[in-house]
Amino acid sequence: MHGLGIKQVAKLALTLGMATMLMGAGDLTRQTPIEVKVELGNASNEMVFTPSALTFETGKLYKLTLTNPSPSKHYFTSYGLASKVFTRKVQIKAGSGSVAEVKGIISEIEVFPGHTVEWWFVPVQTGSLSDLHCHVKDDDGQTHAKKGMVGTIEIK
């Protein structure tokens, strides 16, 4: 620090340290959530995630709303995402209300036809993930992932 005395350097370090502490203060799970909606399949029974590319940012609270409008059950599975987020809760919806909440580590969520699940989480680590898939196996022996139900996740 050219031109600064030891006292000025110490004061600057203290100010920067306090600013850093202030930026990290608070309960990150109590933010207003950013809602991201994903449909698992569709009414035509196509094996797709809509959208199939998701982007999240570390430190922000998300409410990932997973809706299944298709006649088949589907999984939303990403072990990579599970390892890079803090899960606040998973809320199981029925009609206009909730029937249950699940807390803890979540790696996959099964959503039955016509139902909705909300996954509330805060990403804590960056990464590019290509492991989003549905591993439900149909009577023909093929998984929904083999039929195109895959996606990507970017955490910035």
Side-chain angles (χ1 to χ4, degrees), residues 35 63-66 89-93 98 109 116-120:
E35 186 170 14
K63 177 173 77 170
L64 180 61
T65 302
L66 305 171
K89 66 180 175 179
V90 171
Q91 207 161 12
I92 295 96
K93 310 292 274 183
S98 295
I109 297 175
T116 299
V117 174
E118 296 173 350
W119 184 3
W120 297 59

Side-chain angles (χ1 to χ4, degrees):
M1 300 246 142
H2 184 66
L4 294 178
I6 189 77
K7 287 184 181 181
Q8 289 90 3
V9 171
K11 187 176 178 179
L12 180 61
L14 180 61
T15 302
L16 289 173
M18 290 176 76
T20 301
M21 287 185 345
L22 289 174
M23 287 188 293
D27 184 347
L28 296 178
T29 68
R30 298 293 174 204
Q31 305 172 50
T32 300
I34 300 166
E35 186 170 14
V36 175
K37 296 180 179 184
V38 177
E39 287 190 349
L40 285 64
N42 58 33
S44 302
N45 209 26
E46 294 177 297
M47 303 301 160
V48 293
F49 290 109
T50 306
S52 62
L54 303 170
T55 302
F56 303 106
E57 188 176 327
T58 57
K60 295 187 177 182
L61 176 63
Y62 289 91
K63 177 173 77 170
L64 180 61
T65 302
L66 305 171
T67 303
N68 183 350
S70 81
S72 301
K73 68 178 182 178
H74 293 295
Y75 279 84
F76 183 95
T77 304
S78 172
Y79 301 111
L81 180 63
S83 72
K84 295 182 181 303
V85 302
F86 165 77
T87 295
R88 178 175 159 195
K89 66 180 175 179
V90 171
Q91 207 161 12
I92 295 96
K93 310 292 274 183
S96 61
S98 295
V99 294
E101 282 188 12
V102 178
K103 303 192 187 308
I105 299 171
I106 306 297
S107 59
E108 60 187 14
I109 297 175
E110 182 176 2
V111 184
F112 293 103
H115 291 284
T116 299
V117 174
E118 296 173 350
W119 184 3
W120 297 59
F121 62 82
V122 177
V124 295
Q125 187 178 18
T126 61
S128 295
L129 311 168
S130 59
D131 69 340
L132 175 58
H133 68 285
C134 175
H135 61 83
V136 170
K137 192 179 281 189
D138 283 335
D139 292 338
D140 64 6
Q142 289 193 0
T143 65
H144 291 179
K146 288 271 188 196
K147 295 178 178 183
M149 199 165 186
V150 296
T152 60
I153 300 169
E154 180 76 24
I155 302 174
K156 296 178 179 186

